[in-house]
Amino acid sequence: MNLFKRAWWRLTGHPGKTLMLVGLFFVICTLVLSGFLIRSAAARAADGAKKSVGAVATMQLDVNALINSGKNNGTGPEGQRGGTIGSHGDLRRSLVNRICASSVVRRCNYTTDSGAFPTGSTKLYQPVPAPRGQDSRGTDLFKVDGIRDLKAVAAFRNGDATLVAGHGIGPHSKRDEIVVEERLAKRNGLKVGDTAKLKVGELPAPGQQADDREHAFKVVGIYRSGTADTGSYVPAMVDPANQIYATPDGASTLLGKGAGADGVLKQATFTLDDPKDLDRLKKDAEAAGADLEIFPLSINDKQYQTLVGPITKTADFATVTVWLVAVAGTVILALIVASNLRERRGELGILLSLGEKKPKLLGQHLVEVVACAVLAIGLAGVCSQFLSQAVGDRLLASEVSTANQAAANEAGRRDPSDPTGMAKKDQLEAKPIDAMDVRLGSADIAKVGITGLGIAALATCIPGARVLRLNPRDILTKGD
């Protein structure tokens, strides 16, 4: 008799056991498919985050490396002597511009630290005056950052600061363009297109006169800082309202230096699509002439890790669940099949005595189990998307809550490297991904199908091989 007919008669003749197998397979396949779907959704979210934020590589001077190299207090190629650390410790704009041309750099920026003293027409924003008797000459000035691209500044990249009028600083901005904070603009009645006059923000050396020349700058943008007033006295230079963004040439002018294409930078940042591109960036930097011992490139993918941290943990949990369910399901099904085989030992002995081949008997049991598995896989495909969406969102919400709590604990701590004791540690630059888009595709059905049929084969063949090693007499006479 055909083994498929016997399998059909067995399944329809014992509906209770058939439904039990289908139900067990349904649970196994649903959990496995849900795990696959959660992993796929997490992978898509991680890829999206990687494309949206990338990773930031920073280049700046390593003073210890410069001293160990013996190149400090040297002279430049044109015979001009540098500062106390020498011209070899100067990160030049022309070098950074060459590195910015690398194919793996999505966006680059560099910063020149500067400052500016107020003038009669452009005053500091100080809602609370300094205590009586306190000498604030060294801090009563604007903080000016010379930048290449305002959009690449961390505060604007993570949303802590937003442009409310005009436009920002870009690679092609003119030397005299600046962007000021909203409160400072209101304090001085400045609007986009107005002129602000500033003085060089360098204190004179003993015995020398201060540089009282006023330099005119055009306000091209006004931004709003996310840091509110404290209600108490804050030195003007560390008040976010007195933060001005200028071009690198504009910042050099306020340092008392002339503008030029090869100015000295404090640091440079390069936004990469993938942290793995750092090695390629290092090769391109060396080809551009950078000494990576003195100006090392370090990657900072904190924003990316913040985004994908909770969803990655959710995906890891789903992966563990898939393996546990697959292993446990195989064991449970193997025990059930072994029990069924013991119950049907009389049937097996009779069929073998009639000349039926052992592989066909094993094949009949395999067909029965596979038929139940196929039906369960179809049902799992209908239910798993809704289940995995609900379970995934619940797990992700738990991980996000944990991440936010950890971030809140870090946010209020003071930065020990700040000599004033006023600055606090940087908060996370991005909020974790708190939603996942679960999609059911043919690849997911194929994976759970392969997994389910694999479990069915193992659960049938392992106990079946033990029974079919016996001869008909042993099967009919032995109790096991």
Side-chain angles (χ1 to χ4, degrees):
M1 184 184 296
N2 190 295
L3 66 91
F4 293 100
K5 286 185 179 180
R6 291 202 305 268
W8 171 253
W9 287 345
R10 177 71 184 182
L11 291 174
T12 56
H14 298 79
K17 292 184 177 180
T18 301
L19 289 176
M20 180 187 68
L21 278 178
V22 172
L24 182 57
F25 262 115
F26 172 73
V27 173
I28 294 172
C29 293
T30 299
L31 293 176
V32 170
L33 182 54
S34 297
F36 286 149
L37 293 178
I38 291 173
R39 286 173 54 189
S40 299
R44 284 194 300 273
D47 289 340
K50 187 182 295 183
K51 292 178 182 178
S52 64
V53 303
V56 179
T58 302
M59 172 180 278
Q60 59 185 359
L61 173 66
D62 185 337
V63 177
N64 292 330
L66 176 65
I67 294 173
N68 293 334
S69 69
K71 296 180 180 179
N72 58 312
N73 291 319
T75 57
E78 299 177 359
Q80 297 178 348
R81 190 170 186 83
T84 57
I85 61 174
S87 60
H88 288 287
D90 293 338
L91 180 60
R92 295 288 176 179
R93 198 188 316 168
S94 59
L95 169 64
V96 174
N97 284 333
R98 291 196 297 271
I99 301 174
C100 288
S102 171
S103 59
V104 298
V105 176
R106 185 207 305 172
R107 176 183 294 165
C108 72
N109 194 26
Y110 40 70
T111 305
T112 300
D113 276 354
S114 184
F117 282 110
T119 62
S121 60
T122 308
K123 297 178 173 59
L124 293 166
Y125 176 80
Q126 282 187 302
V128 179
R132 182 176 300 179
Q134 179 173 323
D135 184 5
S136 59
R137 287 179 299 175
T139 58
D140 278 350
L141 67 162
F142 299 103
K143 186 178 187 303
V144 181
D145 283 349
I147 56 172
R148 181 179 185 270
D149 185 1
L150 187 67
K151 294 179 181 178
V153 174
F156 288 86
R157 197 172 63 242
N158 61 41
D160 287 344
T162 54
L163 205 62
V164 295
H167 60 82
I169 302 295
H172 304 293
S173 294
K174 297 180 180 178
R175 180 199 64 82
D176 62 345
E177 293 183 353
I178 60 173
V179 176
V180 300
E181 210 276 334
E182 186 177 38
R183 288 166 289 184
L184 179 63
K186 290 180 179 179
R187 167 76 171 84
N188 293 281
L190 295 173
K191 297 179 180 179
V192 173
D194 290 349
T195 297
K197 294 184 177 181
L198 301 170
K199 293 181 182 180
V200 173
E202 289 289 308
L203 292 172
Q208 295 184 356
Q209 293 185 346
D211 187 347
D212 289 329
R213 292 177 298 171
E214 295 184 357
H215 300 275
F217 292 88
K218 181 181 179 181
V219 178
V220 297
I222 298 174
Y223 73 94
R224 179 179 297 137
S225 172
T227 305
D229 292 335
T230 62
S232 58
Y233 169 71
V234 175
M237 196 171 186
V238 298
D239 192 326
N242 291 313
Q243 171 72 64
I244 296 176
Y245 294 100
T247 63
D249 283 338
S252 295
T253 299
L254 292 173
L255 283 173
K257 302 177 181 179
D262 207 20
V264 178
L265 308 174
K266 175 189 177 184
Q267 70 173 17
T269 58
F270 308 93
T271 303
L272 312 177
D273 287 327
D274 194 318
K276 296 178 182 178
D277 292 333
L278 180 62
D279 290 338
R280 175 62 185 276
L281 178 63
K282 288 182 177 181
K283 292 180 180 179
D284 292 342
E286 289 176 339
D291 186 343
L292 297 185
E293 294 293 331
I294 297 177
F295 299 106
L297 275 166
S298 58
I299 198 75
N300 179 12
D301 59 348
K302 178 180 178 182
Q303 189 175 13
Y304 170 72
Q305 295 298 338
T306 299
L307 280 168
V308 304
I311 203 168
T312 300
K313 292 180 180 179
T314 303
D316 292 341
F317 179 81
T319 301
V320 173
T321 301
V322 167
W323 281 104
L324 288 177
V325 170
V327 173
T330 302
V331 173
I332 294 172
L333 281 171
L335 293 174
I336 292 175
V337 171
S339 176
N340 286 338
L341 288 173
R342 285 196 298 271
E343 291 177 3
R344 298 167 63 181
R345 61 185 179 275
E347 175 190 343
L348 296 174
I350 293 172
L351 290 172
L352 286 173
S353 64
L354 292 175
E356 188 66 273
K357 295 181 179 180
K358 294 179 182 180
K360 284 190 175 182
L361 291 179
L362 185 58
Q364 175 188 338
H365 290 281
L366 184 60
V367 169
E368 294 172 8
V369 177
V370 167
C372 295
V374 170
L375 182 59
I377 290 170
L379 294 174
V382 176
C383 303
S384 291
Q385 182 168 0
F386 305 102
L387 177 63
S388 57
Q389 184 72 63
V391 173
D393 288 343
R394 196 69 181 268
L395 291 173
L396 182 58
S398 176
E399 294 292 347
V400 169
S401 176
T402 301
N404 288 337
Q405 183 63 42
N409 293 337
E410 288 289 327
R413 297 181 183 177
R414 296 191 178 278
D415 188 350
S417 65
D418 176 49
T420 65
M422 299 185 59
K424 294 183 179 180
K425 288 186 175 182
D426 293 337
Q427 296 183 6
L428 295 177
E429 295 184 355
K431 294 182 178 180
I433 297 173
D434 57 1
M436 60 172 58
D437 180 19
V438 176
R439 304 173 193 169
L440 179 63
S442 56
D444 300 304
I445 295 293
K447 285 191 293 185
V448 76
I450 293 172
T451 304
L453 295 178
I455 291 174
L458 288 174
T460 304
C461 294
I462 292 174
R466 175 176 174 270
V467 174
L468 296 182
R469 283 199 304 266
L470 302 175
N471 57 49
R473 175 176 297 183
D474 292 332
I475 294 177
L476 293 172
T477 57
K478 290 188 176 181
D480 191 5

